[in-house]
Amino acid sequence: DTGVSQDPRHKITKRGQNVTFRCDPISEHNRLYWYRQTLGQGPEFLTYFQNEAQLEKSRLLSDRFSAERPKGSFSTLEIQRTEQGDSAMYLCASSPGQGVGNTIYFGEGSWLTVV
Amino acid sequence: AQSVTQLGSHVSVSEGALVLLRCNYSSSVPPYLFWYVQYPNQGLQLLLKYTSAATLVKGINGFEAEFKKSETSFHLTKPSAHMSDAAEYFCAVSGHTGNQFYFGTGTSLTVIP
């Protein structure tokens, strides 16, 4: 079990460009979450998937943000027309099963810097 | 709705001293509560979790937390701080739908040699 894997770990982009982050969850984990974390703050929930279904996306920060999990395995988070305020760490997490109280396991995060 | 509040954004302790990090929760139903630790430039790692099986929960690295319903608290403790404990600590709550985790703003722990 290799844990949750995120790629790239660091991304520097110019304002206005699009960026995409990839997350590979722990094998056989049904749930996949995306969080954003800014300096000095806790992780902020963005969206989550149950298998390939995106069950909650109202917390996505704007319509510039979108996420997919097409085959219920890996997921991508895309930010279009990036702004300096998008600079943050984007965390992916996964958890097993469909029950409650399950632990969510985080990846190492993807740092985004918009210049 | 669930939420957690972490009192004290920065805590400093001497090496070997007691560590106490505070977390209070708000939940209309019995919650699931978690403590995570984050080292610089890394993701979050689970320390321990409360799922109603026992009010005193033991975790990794010598940490433990006690669920107190009357005080709506889930404070994290460790009897003797080690230099390697210096990190950011987050309390989190999950509701009974299990769909979302809500994190506190974190407490940065400094251990003074």
Side-chain angles (χ1 to χ4, degrees):
Chain A
D1 189 344
T2 58
V4 178
S5 177
Q6 293 189 243
D7 182 70
R9 292 291 317 280
H10 298 88
K11 178 71 175 179
I12 300 174
T13 191
K14 292 182 178 180
R15 186 175 53 187
Q17 297 294 305
N18 299 343
V19 296
T20 299
F21 299 111
R22 176 181 169 122
C23 172
D24 287 89
I26 294 172
S27 179
E28 298 182 353
H29 275 194
N30 297 320
R31 287 186 175 169
L32 186 148
Y33 306 78
W34 284 101
Y35 284 81
R36 185 180 80 154
Q37 186 178 21
T38 54
L39 286 174
Q41 298 296 316
E44 176 188 14
F45 173 80
L46 296 179
T47 187
Y48 96 101
F49 294 84
Q50 177 76 42
N51 298 312
E52 68 274 12
Q54 188 175 14
L55 299 185
E56 174 59 67
K57 58 181 179 180
S58 65
R59 299 294 187 96
L60 285 169
L61 301 165
S62 76
D63 58 6
R64 298 184 296 105
F65 288 72
S66 63
E68 294 183 343
R69 194 184 184 194
K71 298 182 179 179
S73 56
F74 73 92
S75 176
T76 57
L77 176 69
E78 182 182 19
I79 308 173
Q80 296 182 327
R81 305 181 303 281
T82 54
E83 302 172 356
Q84 287 188 324
D86 298 332
S87 296
M89 182 160 68
Y90 292 85
L91 290 161
C92 178
S94 69
S95 71
Q98 300 186 24
V100 296
N102 291 310
T103 300
I104 59 173
Y105 298 87
F106 284 88
E108 297 286 297
S110 291
W111 278 103
L112 173 64
T113 301
V114 182
V115 297
Chain B
Q2 292 86 28
S3 67
V4 290
T5 301
Q6 292 184 243
L7 300 176
S9 58
H10 293 89
V11 171
S12 294
V13 300
S14 297
E15 190 174 15
L18 171 71
V19 176
L20 171 61
L21 305 181
R22 301 178 186 275
C23 173
N24 288 88
Y25 69 90
S26 173
S27 176
S28 57
V29 297
Y32 298 102
L33 293 161
F34 304 75
W35 275 100
Y36 283 82
V37 61
Q38 185 177 34
Y39 298 100
N41 299 317
Q42 295 187 21
L44 283 72
Q45 178 185 1
L46 178 72
L47 277 176
L48 49 82
K49 72 175 184 180
Y50 167 75
T51 58
S52 78
T55 56
L56 182 63
V57 182
K58 294 187 182 296
I60 62 171
N61 301 338
F63 284 93
E64 62 182 35
E66 185 173 8
F67 174 74
K68 292 187 177 180
K69 184 178 179 180
S70 61
E71 299 177 6
T72 61
S73 69
F74 190 58
H75 301 332
L76 181 70
T77 61
K78 181 174 180 178
S80 177
H82 191 273
M83 296 299 293
S84 61
D85 295 327
E88 190 85 17
Y89 292 81
F90 292 95
C91 181
V93 62
S94 171
H96 275 243
T97 60
N99 295 345
Q100 296 185 26
F101 277 60
Y102 299 93
F103 286 83
T105 53
T107 297
S108 177
L109 175 66
T110 299
V111 181
I112 303 167

